[in-house]
């Protein structure tokens, strides 16, 4: 009977590790997506002059 209990415990521990690995994968993908969006927003704003800070010609 001990082998069934040990196998069940190993399965639970493996399931916890697998769920954590999937969580880390999705967290990394979400973080990468946010970084790409931020970089795209930065490149768009770099080509646009800031409002109110344009040099005036007199």
């Amino acid at each position: 009977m001990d082998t069934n209990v040990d196998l069940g415990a190993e399965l639970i521990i493996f399931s916890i590790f697998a769920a954590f690995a999937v969580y880390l994968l999705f967290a990394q993908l979400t973080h990468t997506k946010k970084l790409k969006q931020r970089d795209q927003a930065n490149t768009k704003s770099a080509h646009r002059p800031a409002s109110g800070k344009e040099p005036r010609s007199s």
Side-chain angles (χ1 to χ4, degrees):
M1 193 70 175
D2 274 339
T3 56
N4 287 341
V5 172
D6 290 340
L7 183 62
E10 287 178 7
L11 186 61
I12 290 171
I13 291 171
F14 176 75
S15 298
I16 291 170
F17 280 128
F20 187 63
V22 170
Y23 165 76
L24 287 178
L25 176 68
F26 280 106
Q28 181 67 32
L29 289 174
T30 303
H31 182 68
T32 304
K33 187 177 180 181
K34 285 181 183 178
L35 288 177
K36 284 182 182 178
Q37 288 175 347
R38 186 191 70 189
D39 289 345
Q40 287 177 351
N42 285 343
T43 56
K44 287 180 183 176
S45 64
H47 296 297
R48 209 178 326 142
S51 60
K53 303 212 180 214
E54 297 174 10
R56 293 184 179 212
S57 58
S58 47

